[in-house]
Amino acid sequence: MSISGIASTALSGMRAQTTRVSAIANNIANSSTPGYARLNTSLTSVEPGGVQAVVSPTASDIDPATELADLIEAEQSYKANAVVFETGADMWEMLMSIKRD
């Protein structure tokens, strides 16, 4: 996989986690709204590499503990993808400095 492919995959992971956090925020904000359906985020892989977030309503109740656990998991996943993205950028920068020399 190329460095740009690595960065693209990490970026798609960060976007997917951003979508997930948005769904969690909606769940928490609307937890006492009558008739509100909890939003669930599913992650699916896409070609040639990466992940896509799909948000869909479910019939389950909103549990603050579950939402908090999902939020922590999304935060950790976002951070992991950010580290991969930064590492790819560092590798790209090093290759460019070698090419200039």
Side-chain angles (χ1 to χ4, degrees):
M1 180 177 272
S2 67
I3 294 175
S4 63
I6 292 168
S8 176
T9 299
L11 186 59
S12 76
M14 289 187 288
R15 285 185 183 137
Q17 296 307 323
T18 301
T19 300
R20 187 175 175 198
V21 168
S22 179
I24 293 167
N26 276 324
N27 290 339
I28 293 169
N30 293 297
S31 62
S32 61
T33 303
Y36 177 79
R38 180 182 184 273
L39 298 177
N40 186 41
T41 308
S42 309
L43 302 178
T44 57
S45 62
V46 293
E47 292 298 326
V51 65
Q52 178 181 8
V54 177
V55 178
S56 57
T58 63
S60 63
D61 291 334
I62 298 171
D63 176 28
T66 301
E67 300 301 328
L68 183 58
D70 287 350
L71 185 60
I72 292 168
E73 184 180 323
E75 176 190 19
Q76 292 173 343
S77 297
Y78 187 94
K79 284 181 181 179
N81 280 294
V83 167
V84 170
F85 186 86
E86 289 175 7
T87 302
D90 290 345
M91 291 171 62
W92 185 259
E93 187 177 319
M94 182 173 285
L95 285 172
M96 290 297 105
S97 70
I98 291 171
K99 183 179 177 183
R100 283 179 267 177
D101 293 340

